[in-house]
Amino acid sequence: MSRARTVANFGAGTISAANVTGLTQGVTDIDTWRLNNPVNPTLDSWTTLASNWERSDGPYSVLLGNGMSQSNGQFTFPSTGIWLVQTGLAVYDQNGDVIEVFSRLRMSSDSGSTYTGQLNLGVGSIGPGFASNQYPRVFPTTSKVVDVINASTYRIKLEYYVSNGDGPQIEGNTDYDRTFLQFIRLGDT
């Protein structure tokens, strides 16, 4: 005897979710920001990437939900929840110098007055050996899941450290997400 049942065995009717609990909405927010122009980096010190940010708006870009807000490189979350923050920092040196590049995410719970902790670190280095007009590039990336418990006071920012070099540039382009921050709300806090 088969234990499989068909819909006909259960009879006609509708299914109600009126008494179902414990379900969440899932991903409700996705937002990506990028540098729209190159930046000459400050060398040999941790520096906030504070200018040239724009919301990614290419043909395959996604803005779901209300989106992040940004001021001087400080990003504000639109709602509480568990958020995945991903970043890429594209750096090249037009003179082919040996440089080291680091990126990190920093978080604030007091509206950006103080930033504590190093949430994650991306590391890369480049050196000589490229033909002329082929700038060596490095692309440190990092990601972190954060619990935003107060959307009105939590901020996050991207910092970089570039050592040495005679002609390094942090890449930015209004058509491509070379240096970027992406925010995905995974669920409720």
Side-chain angles (χ1 to χ4, degrees), residues 19 43 62 85 88 110-111 113 116 118 155 177-178:
N19 295 320
L43 298 179
V62 174
V85 182
D110 63 1
S111 300
S113 294
T116 57
Q118 175 177 303
R155 307 285 186 274
D177 298 346
R178 293 199 170 136

Side-chain angles (χ1 to χ4, degrees), residues 87-119:
T87 182
L89 180 72
V91 180
Y92 69 93
D93 190 282
Q94 56 194 358
N95 296 321
D97 294 327
V98 175
I99 63 172
E100 292 181 319
V101 179
F102 305 89
S103 65
R104 69 182 180 188
L105 294 168
R106 302 285 305 265
M107 192 89 172
S108 172
S109 61
D110 63 1
S111 300
S113 294
T114 56
Y115 281 84
T116 57
Q118 175 177 303
L119 296 180

Side-chain angles (χ1 to χ4, degrees), residues 42-112:
T42 301
L43 298 179
D44 299 317
S45 72
W46 283 105
T47 306
T48 299
L49 200 46
S51 62
N52 297 345
W53 288 107
E54 72 176 11
R55 179 168 279 125
S56 183
D57 59 359
Y60 302 107
S61 296
V62 174
L63 173 61
L64 178 64
N66 293 322
M68 303 290 288
S69 58
Q70 182 273 145
S71 177
N72 296 317
Q74 297 184 84
F75 290 83
T76 303
F77 295 88
S79 62
T80 60
I82 306 298
W83 288 80
L84 171 62
V85 182
Q86 302 178 106
T87 182
L89 180 72
V91 180
Y92 69 93
D93 190 282
Q94 56 194 358
N95 296 321
D97 294 327
V98 175
I99 63 172
E100 292 181 319
V101 179
F102 305 89
S103 65
R104 69 182 180 188
L105 294 168
R106 302 285 305 265
M107 192 89 172
S108 172
S109 61
D110 63 1
S111 300

